[in-house]
Amino acid sequence: MQETRQNRIARLLQKELSELFQRQTQMMHGTLVSVTKVKISPDLSICTAYLSIFPTEKAQALLENIQHNERTLRYDLGQRVRHQLRIIPELRFFQDDSLDYLDRIDQLLGK
């Protein structure tokens, strides 16, 4: 039962975070940030979000900027989900490099 609630909240947070990033990256032409996966702790206090950033050359700098502005993002997220959640979880962001990993495997198999 608890796992169902975690999954539902994770989907809600993924949707809202992706909308926040989409709105913020519209001003930065040529940059795309996608929220690929969201995990939430059993006590709903920590939200771990995995981000896919394109182009990958800007990924590290953009991820550092997102981590630096984590409090602002948490506030904006809280404004969006304040009627669904009582406590807004702490946000943690990591880069999802699974697409780069798949591309590298394809290159190696192509040789």
Side-chain angles (χ1 to χ4, degrees), residues 14 17-19 21-22 25 31-38 49-54 62 66 93-96 99:
Q14 181 177 3
L17 281 172
S18 62
E19 287 178 8
F21 286 129
Q22 182 182 14
T25 57
T31 303
L32 178 67
V33 177
S34 301
V35 182
T36 57
K37 189 174 186 180
V38 171
Y50 294 91
L51 306 176
S52 176
I53 302 171
F54 181 80
L62 193 57
I66 289 170
F93 296 102
F94 296 99
Q95 184 177 358
D96 182 19
L99 292 176

Side-chain angles (χ1 to χ4, degrees), residues 37-64:
K37 189 174 186 180
V38 171
K39 292 182 182 179
I40 193 147
S41 64
D43 63 350
L44 307 177
S45 65
I46 299 173
C47 172
T48 305
Y50 294 91
L51 306 176
S52 176
I53 302 171
F54 181 80
T56 55
E57 300 86 42
K58 298 179 181 180
Q60 189 62 33
L62 193 57
L63 186 63
E64 288 174 6

